[in-house]
Amino acid sequence: MTSPRRRIAKLSRPRLFGAVPRNSLFERLDALAQHPCVWVCAPPGAGKTTAVGTWIDSRSRHAHWYQVDRSDADPSTFFRYLSELAPTQRGRRPLPLLTPEYLDDIEGFARRYFREFFARLGDGDVLVIDNLHEVLDDAALEPVFIAMVSEMPARTTAILVGRFDPPAWLAEPIARQQLVTLGWDALRFTQEETRAAVTRHHGFANATADALHAICGGWVSCLTLTLEWYRR
């Protein structure tokens, strides 16, 4: 039996307010989620986290959410927080710790770790690692993510969210289609989605919404800030 556990902020899903349903984007994510890992990348304020969170809600998927920061570039810290994120099960030993004797073969340790970690997730569960750009420039985590992508079972999905395209050291899983990308163009609001956001929450006419769409080009943060300026 899995026991409930209180989550700190970095291991909790962000709260979403007033998100616009995006059916075409959700269908795109449905198709991509057939692959083990989906890499979601776009500039700041593009609505990456909101898109992933609303897709999870719309599909009633259970998510395990990890918001990384610079301190997580240390592999020991990364694995420690992942272990806190995993469901606890009676009669099952704790997930292994990255102790000094494993440091010479971090990828080997990571493969064993992820086999046990993913075995504890339910069918259809989603592991989301958000703000990945915070740790991508640290080479220490390269073998960790290579192992994670390699050990993803078919019954779960990992979504990796950040500002940049996948790094070159993930070329092999990309070539094998173990990892696929959802980029900036897919995340931009369409004209219809801009209309929905503007009329639903602000009551403006379609002509105003179309003008705002032309100004912002589907960039979610630009639209939000422009609407706030317009409202005032």
Side-chain angles (χ1 to χ4, degrees), residues 8-47:
I8 60 175
K10 71 185 284 101
L11 301 180
S12 304
R13 283 188 54 186
R15 295 183 180 183
L16 305 176
F17 301 97
V20 175
R22 306 186 63 188
N23 293 329
S24 60
L25 177 61
F26 294 167
E27 289 173 1
R28 179 89 174 267
L29 273 167
D30 288 340
L32 293 175
Q34 303 302 311
H35 299 262
C37 295
V38 181
W39 188 284
V40 179
C41 54

Coordinates of all heavy atoms in Angstrom, one line a residue, residues 8-47:
I8 N 7.3 19.1 0.0 CA 7.8 20.5 0.0 C 7.6 21.1 -1.4 O 7.2 20.4 -2.3 CB 9.4 20.5 0.3 CG1 10.1 19.7 -0.8 CG2 9.6 19.9 1.7 CD1 11.6 19.7 -0.6
A9 N 7.8 22.4 -1.5 CA 7.3 23.1 -2.7 C 8.0 22.6 -3.9 O 7.4 22.4 -5.0 CB 7.6 24.6 -2.5
K10 N 9.3 22.3 -3.9 CA 10.0 21.9 -5.1 C 9.6 20.5 -5.5 O 9.9 20.1 -6.7 CB 11.5 21.9 -4.9 CG 12.1 20.8 -3.9 CD 13.6 21.0 -3.7 CE 14.4 20.6 -4.9 NZ 14.9 21.7 -5.7
L11 N 8.9 19.7 -4.7 CA 8.3 18.4 -5.1 C 6.8 18.4 -5.2 O 6.2 17.4 -5.1 CB 8.8 17.4 -4.1 CG 10.3 17.2 -3.9 CD1 10.6 16.1 -2.9 CD2 11.0 16.9 -5.2
S12 N 6.3 19.6 -5.5 CA 4.8 19.8 -5.6 C 4.5 20.4 -6.9 O 5.3 21.2 -7.5 CB 4.3 20.7 -4.5 OG 4.6 20.2 -3.2
R13 N 3.3 20.1 -7.4 CA 2.9 20.7 -8.7 C 2.6 22.2 -8.5 O 2.0 22.6 -7.5 CB 1.6 20.0 -9.2 CG 1.8 18.7 -9.8 CD 0.6 18.2 -10.5 NE 0.0 19.2 -11.4 CZ -1.2 19.1 -12.0 NH1 -1.9 18.0 -11.8 NH2 -1.6 20.0 -12.8
P14 N 3.1 23.0 -9.4 CA 2.7 24.5 -9.3 C 1.2 24.7 -9.4 O 0.5 23.9 -10.1 CB 3.4 25.1 -10.5 CG 4.5 24.1 -10.9 CD 3.9 22.7 -10.6
R15 N 0.7 25.7 -8.7 CA -0.7 26.0 -8.9 C -1.0 26.7 -10.2 O -0.2 27.6 -10.5 CB -1.2 26.9 -7.7 CG -1.1 26.1 -6.3 CD -1.6 27.0 -5.2 NE -1.5 26.4 -3.9 CZ -2.0 27.0 -2.8 NH1 -2.5 28.2 -2.8 NH2 -1.9 26.3 -1.7
L16 N -2.0 26.4 -10.8 CA -2.4 27.0 -12.1 C -3.7 27.8 -11.9 O -4.6 27.3 -11.3 CB -2.5 25.9 -13.2 CG -1.3 25.0 -13.4 CD1 -1.7 23.9 -14.4 CD2 -0.1 25.8 -13.8
F17 N -3.7 29.0 -12.5 CA -4.9 29.8 -12.3 C -5.4 30.3 -13.7 O -4.6 30.9 -14.5 CB -4.6 31.1 -11.5 CG -4.1 30.7 -10.1 CD1 -2.8 30.7 -9.8 CD2 -5.0 30.4 -9.1 CE1 -2.3 30.3 -8.5 CE2 -4.6 30.0 -7.8 CZ -3.3 30.0 -7.5
G18 N -6.6 30.1 -14.0 CA -7.2 30.6 -15.2 C -6.6 30.1 -16.5 O -6.6 30.8 -17.5
A19 N -6.1 28.9 -16.5 CA -5.5 28.3 -17.7 C -6.6 28.1 -18.8 O -7.7 27.6 -18.5 CB -4.8 27.1 -17.4
V20 N -6.2 28.4 -20.0 CA -7.1 28.1 -21.2 C -6.9 26.7 -21.7 O -5.8 26.3 -21.9 CB -6.8 29.1 -22.3 CG1 -7.7 28.8 -23.5 CG2 -7.1 30.6 -21.8
P21 N -8.0 25.9 -21.8 CA -7.9 24.6 -22.4 C -7.3 24.7 -23.8 O -7.7 25.6 -24.6 CB -9.3 24.1 -22.4 CG -10.0 24.9 -21.4 CD -9.4 26.2 -21.4
R22 N -6.4 23.8 -24.2 CA -5.7 23.9 -25.5 C -5.8 22.5 -26.1 O -4.8 21.8 -26.1 CB -4.3 24.4 -25.3 CG -4.2 25.7 -24.5 CD -2.7 26.2 -24.5 NE -2.3 26.5 -25.9 CZ -1.0 26.8 -26.1 NH1 -0.1 26.9 -25.2 NH2 -0.6 27.1 -27.4
N23 N -6.9 22.2 -26.7 CA -7.1 20.9 -27.2 C -6.1 20.4 -28.3 O -5.7 19.3 -28.3 CB -8.6 20.8 -27.8 CG -9.6 20.9 -26.6 OD1 -9.3 20.5 -25.5 ND2 -10.8 21.4 -27.0
S24 N -5.8 21.3 -29.2 CA -4.8 20.9 -30.3 C -3.5 20.6 -29.7 O -2.8 19.6 -30.1 CB -4.7 21.9 -31.3 OG -4.3 23.2 -30.8
L25 N -3.0 21.4 -28.7 CA -1.8 21.1 -28.0 C -1.8 19.8 -27.2 O -0.9 19.0 -27.2 CB -1.4 22.3 -27.1 CG -0.1 22.2 -26.3 CD1 1.1 22.0 -27.2 CD2 0.1 23.4 -25.4
F26 N -3.0 19.6 -26.5 CA -3.1 18.4 -25.7 C -3.0 17.2 -26.6 O -2.5 16.1 -26.3 CB -4.4 18.4 -25.0 CG -4.5 19.5 -23.9 CD1 -5.7 19.8 -23.3 CD2 -3.4 20.2 -23.5 CE1 -5.8 20.8 -22.3 CE2 -3.5 21.2 -22.5 CZ -4.7 21.5 -22.0
E27 N -3.6 17.2 -27.8 CA -3.6 16.1 -28.7 C -2.2 15.9 -29.2 O -1.7 14.7 -29.4 CB -4.5 16.4 -29.9 CG -6.0 16.3 -29.6 CD -6.9 16.7 -30.7 OE1 -6.4 17.0 -31.8 OE2 -8.1 16.7 -30.5
R28 N -1.4 16.9 -29.4 CA 0.0 16.8 -29.8 C 0.8 16.1 -28.6 O 1.6 15.2 -28.9 CB 0.6 18.2 -30.1 CG 2.0 18.2 -30.4 CD 2.2 18.1 -31.9 NE 3.6 18.2 -32.3 CZ 4.2 19.4 -32.7 NH1 3.4 20.5 -32.7 NH2 5.4 19.5 -33.0
L29 N 0.5 16.5 -27.4 CA 1.2 15.9 -26.3 C 0.7 14.4 -26.1 O 1.6 13.6 -25.7 CB 0.9 16.6 -25.0 CG 1.8 17.8 -24.7 CD1 1.2 18.7 -23.6 CD2 3.2 17.3 -24.3
D30 N -0.5 14.1 -26.4 CA -1.0 12.7 -26.4 C -0.1 11.8 -27.3 O 0.3 10.7 -26.9 CB -2.4 12.6 -26.8 CG -3.4 13.1 -25.8 OD1 -3.1 13.2 -24.7 OD2 -4.6 13.5 -26.2
A31 N 0.2 12.3 -28.5 CA 1.0 11.6 -29.5 C 2.4 11.5 -29.0 O 3.0 10.4 -29.0 CB 0.9 12.2 -30.8
L32 N 3.0 12.6 -28.5 CA 4.4 12.5 -28.1 C 4.6 11.7 -26.8 O 5.6 11.0 -26.6 CB 4.9 14.0 -27.8 CG 4.9 14.9 -29.0 CD1 5.3 16.3 -28.5 CD2 6.0 14.4 -30.0
A33 N 3.6 11.6 -26.0 CA 3.7 10.9 -24.7 C 3.7 9.3 -24.9 O 3.8 8.6 -24.0 CB 2.5 11.2 -23.8
Q34 N 3.5 8.9 -26.2 CA 3.7 7.5 -26.5 C 5.2 7.1 -26.4 O 5.5 5.9 -26.3 CB 3.1 7.2 -27.9 CG 1.7 7.6 -28.1 CD 0.8 6.9 -27.1 OE1 0.8 5.7 -26.9 NE2 -0.1 7.6 -26.5
H35 N 6.0 8.1 -26.5 CA 7.5 7.9 -26.4 C 7.9 8.0 -24.9 O 7.1 8.6 -24.1 CB 8.2 9.0 -27.2 CG 7.9 9.0 -28.7 ND1 8.7 8.3 -29.6 CD2 6.9 9.5 -29.4 CE1 8.2 8.5 -30.8 NE2 7.1 9.2 -30.7
P36 N 9.0 7.4 -24.5 CA 9.3 7.4 -23.1 C 9.5 8.8 -22.5 O 9.1 9.0 -21.4 CB 10.7 6.6 -23.1 CG 10.6 5.8 -24.3 CD 9.9 6.5 -25.3
C37 N 10.1 9.7 -23.2 CA 10.4 11.0 -22.7 C 10.0 12.1 -23.7 O 10.2 12.0 -24.9 CB 11.9 11.2 -22.4 SG 12.5 10.1 -21.1
V38 N 9.4 13.2 -23.2 CA 9.1 14.4 -24.0 C 9.9 15.6 -23.4 O 9.8 15.9 -22.2 CB 7.6 14.7 -23.9 CG1 7.2 15.9 -24.8 CG2 6.7 13.4 -24.3
W39 N 10.6 16.2 -24.3 CA 11.4 17.4 -23.9 C 10.6 18.6 -24.3 O 10.4 18.9 -25.5 CB 12.7 17.3 -24.6 CG 13.7 18.4 -24.1 CD1 13.7 19.7 -24.5 CD2 14.9 18.1 -23.3 NE1 14.8 20.3 -23.9 CE2 15.5 19.4 -23.2 CE3 15.4 17.0 -22.7 CZ2 16.7 19.5 -22.4 CZ3 16.6 17.2 -21.9 CH2 17.2 18.4 -21.8
V40 N 10.2 19.4 -23.4 CA 9.4 20.6 -23.7 C 10.3 21.8 -23.5 O 10.8 22.1 -22.4 CB 8.2 20.7 -22.7 CG1 7.4 22.0 -23.0 CG2 7.3 19.5 -22.9
C41 N 10.5 22.6 -24.6 CA 11.5 23.7 -24.5 C 11.0 24.9 -25.2 O 10.4 24.8 -26.2 CB 12.8 23.3 -25.1 SG 12.7 22.6 -26.8
A42 N 11.2 26.1 -24.5 CA 10.7 27.3 -25.1 C 11.3 28.4 -24.2 O 11.7 28.2 -23.1 CB 9.2 27.4 -25.1
P43 N 11.3 29.7 -24.7 CA 11.8 30.8 -23.8 C 11.0 31.0 -22.6 O 9.9 30.5 -22.4 CB 11.7 32.0 -24.8 CG 11.5 31.5 -26.1 CD 10.8 30.1 -26.0
P44 N 11.5 31.8 -21.6 CA 10.8 32.1 -20.4 C 9.5 32.7 -20.7 O 9.3 33.5 -21.7 CB 11.7 33.1 -19.7 CG 13.1 32.9 -20.3 CD 12.9 32.5 -21.7
G45 N 8.4 32.4 -19.9 CA 7.1 32.9 -20.1 C 6.3 32.4 -21.3 O 5.3 32.9 -21.6
A46 N 6.8 31.3 -21.8 CA 6.1 30.7 -23.0 C 4.9 29.8 -22.6 O 4.2 29.3 -23.4 CB 7.0 29.9 -23.9
G47 N 4.7 29.6 -21.3 CA 3.6 28.7 -20.8 C 3.9 27.2 -20.8 O 3.0 26.4 -20.8

